[in-house]
Amino acid sequence: MKDISFSRRAVMLGAAALPLARRAAAQSGTKPLVISSGNGVAACAKAMELIHAGEDTLDAVIAGVNIVELDPNDHSVGYGGLPNEDGVVELDASCMHGPTRRAGAVGALRGIKTPSKVAKAVMEQTAHMFLVADGALRFAKALGFQEENLLTEQSRQAWLVWKRSLRDSNGRNNWVPGIDAPPAKKTGALDLEQLKREFPGAGEKWLAQCVDFAVHPPHGTINCIALNQKGEMSAVTTTSGMAWKIPGRVGDSPIIGGGLWLDQDVGAAGSTGLGEENLRVCGAHTCVENMRHGMSAKDAALDTLKRVARNFDNDMERLKQVDLQFYVMSKDGDYCGASLWDRTRPGGPVTQFAVCNGTGQSHRQDAVFLLERRS
Ligand code: GLY
């Protein structure tokens, strides 16, 4: 009896703390909603389809991101992800289930195309929360996951182009022809014409992309967050991490509170971009705690990004090298995608995120941003 009256009082106090508009939205019933990073239009649509079919929100978001994990043409996640400096693809993933308040994660997992499913298995089938490297692979194989080579031909080519870009102080590199070889038409670490001769089947567009990957190592990821009609939430983040990383490097994606956080009483957040800088502000947790203290999803994310800028003393020259986004959703359906910069590079497209609100098509929307790049 005592417990019941305490919990009723706590609920009333919680409701009193909610701003009026948001309380009204919560009372009028919840509209299903799925958001994701910009590479997740299909993931949001799939998750929404499963939510409408009555599936659990965690199954829905994981089925959504599986599309991207299995896509060999997404070079930031799962199969076809860009490898570590040894040419081996290493994957990180985490998931959180709102209704049961549980979480699971894997880090530096090799050979399994769908690390998000392994993270869910860690959550559901072990007394642990986070398995890494060989232990995570052995666990996955014990459950029947198939071990496969995740390096596609394209990812291998991108890795070789990156190796050619590396030089010692004398401009030497053992992965290019030696000093007695016939001279190339042009010199330089990454000459597109030379690369076209070395990779005759690769195609000029892809080789130009490989050069860009070598010069600007990407650290893309997919985060996906869902809310169903009952107000239940789940979230997942999955990635191949930073391209050309030191083997064993784990980013923010599998860190509960860093690349992903969900509190069923408040909302959820996830991140893509440079994991090291997200971890310095414990970003996903910070976004959700900001909402707990009354901020909108947008303000919660922008405040977290301000903390990242503060870590660089707002020095724009150093901040220019940081690419970081948050995806934030409150339990009552307030949401945003927010980016440190308006675009990844000067002249590039505005950063977007994916949304499916259940009535319309899954689509991309412009993210809000903290800083504007000058061209
Ligand atoms: N956010 C992905 C990573 O840094 O690994």
Side-chain angles (χ1 to χ4, degrees):
M1 205 50 195
K2 200 174 170 195
D3 280 355
I4 291 169
S5 60
F6 172 78
S7 76
R8 276 195 189 138
R9 184 165 173 269
V11 167
M12 287 166 69
L13 284 172
L18 276 174
L20 267 181
R22 292 168 61 197
R23 201 188 317 162
Q27 284 165 357
S28 69
T30 311
K31 287 196 180 125
L33 177 67
V34 185
I35 65 170
S36 165
S37 39
N39 52 352
V41 173
C44 288
K46 180 73 184 174
M48 185 57 78
E49 178 194 320
L50 294 177
I51 285 171
H52 281 314
E55 298 286 338
D56 182 77
T57 47
L58 186 56
D59 291 329
V61 288
I62 287 182
V65 299
N66 286 165
I67 296 171
V68 184
E69 288 177 325
L70 294 170
D71 179 359
N73 296 316
D74 188 311
H75 298 289
S76 68
V77 179
Y79 178 55
L82 295 175
N84 66 20
E85 64 181 22
D86 289 346
V88 179
V89 180
E90 280 183 346
L91 306 174
D92 303 331
S94 60
C95 65
M96 295 191 79
H97 186 237
T100 57
R101 299 175 187 276
R102 289 190 300 167
V106 288
L109 173 64
R110 299 177 173 195
I112 307 290
K113 283 180 171 171
T114 53
S116 62
K117 282 189 178 172
V118 186
K120 182 170 180 267
V122 172
M123 181 188 97
E124 289 179 336
Q125 300 187 42
T126 76
H128 308 313
M129 193 174 285
F130 191 9
L131 297 180
V132 301
D134 189 45
L137 175 59
R138 280 159 48 194
F139 168 73
K141 284 166 71 177
L143 294 191
F145 285 87
Q146 199 184 340
E147 185 178 6
E148 297 171 80
N149 179 13
L150 305 186
L151 194 68
T152 58
E153 181 59 14
Q154 280 202 324
S155 295
R156 190 185 65 80
Q157 286 167 349
W159 173 66
L160 283 177
V161 169
W162 169 72
K163 294 209 42 110
R164 280 159 173 68
S165 76
L166 305 177
R167 301 277 149 174
D168 68 17
S169 56
N170 296 317
R172 298 282 305 277
N173 176 323
N174 291 328
W175 286 79
V176 296
I179 46 179
D180 57 345
K185 277 192 186 145
K186 282 188 195 170
T187 54
L190 290 176
D191 171 41
L192 196 55
E193 293 307 314
Q194 180 68 23
L195 289 172
K196 274 159 63 180
R197 283 191 288 279
E198 288 174 24
F199 298 92
E204 184 167 347
K205 200 171 161 207
W206 173 243
L207 286 175
Q209 176 74 78
C210 291
V211 170
D212 192 53
F213 284 156
V215 178
H216 305 106
H219 30 68
T221 299
I222 181 166
N223 164 253
C224 188
I225 303 172
L227 171 69
N228 70 10
Q229 301 88 336
K230 292 183 268 182
E232 295 169 343
M233 299 186 76
S234 288
V236 62
T237 302
T238 176
T239 188
S240 52
M242 182 185 284
W244 335 130
K245 61 193 172 186
I246 294 174
R249 178 265 187 186
V250 168
D252 59 328
S253 301
I255 306 297
I256 302 298
L260 189 72
W261 183 250
L262 194 171
D263 182 331
Q264 181 62 60
D265 296 339
V266 181
S271 181
T272 60
L274 185 54
E276 281 74 3
E277 295 315 321
N278 179 26
L279 288 173
R280 289 212 291 165
V281 296
C282 207
H285 185 265
T286 300
C287 289
V288 175
E289 284 306 295
N290 279 344
M291 288 196 293
R292 186 195 302 281
H293 296 118
M295 286 190 199
S296 66
K298 176 182 159 189
D299 289 346
L302 289 176
D303 173 76
T304 306
L305 290 166
K306 279 181 195 158
R307 298 183 194 205
V308 175
R310 178 210 56 195
N311 282 347
F312 289 84
D313 300 320
N314 295 302
D315 174 351
M316 295 300 141
E317 280 308 306
R318 287 187 293 150
L319 273 168
K320 267 185 202 165
Q321 298 166 50
V322 181
D323 170 41
L324 190 61
Q325 295 80 35
F326 290 110
Y327 312 93
V328 185
M329 189 195 292
S330 74
K331 188 186 177 308
D332 48 311
D334 180 28
Y335 69 91
C336 83
S339 181
L340 180 65
W341 291 97
D342 57 338
R343 59 199 78 224
T344 304
R345 64 191 62 168
V350 170
T351 299
Q352 296 190 311
F353 69 110
V355 186
C356 188
N357 63 16
T359 49
Q361 294 273 326
S362 181
H363 62 282
R364 287 196 184 89
Q365 270 178 222
D366 288 352
V368 296
F369 55 86
L370 186 68
L371 304 169
E372 210 165 342
R373 287 195 196 273
R374 309 227 180 279
S375 46

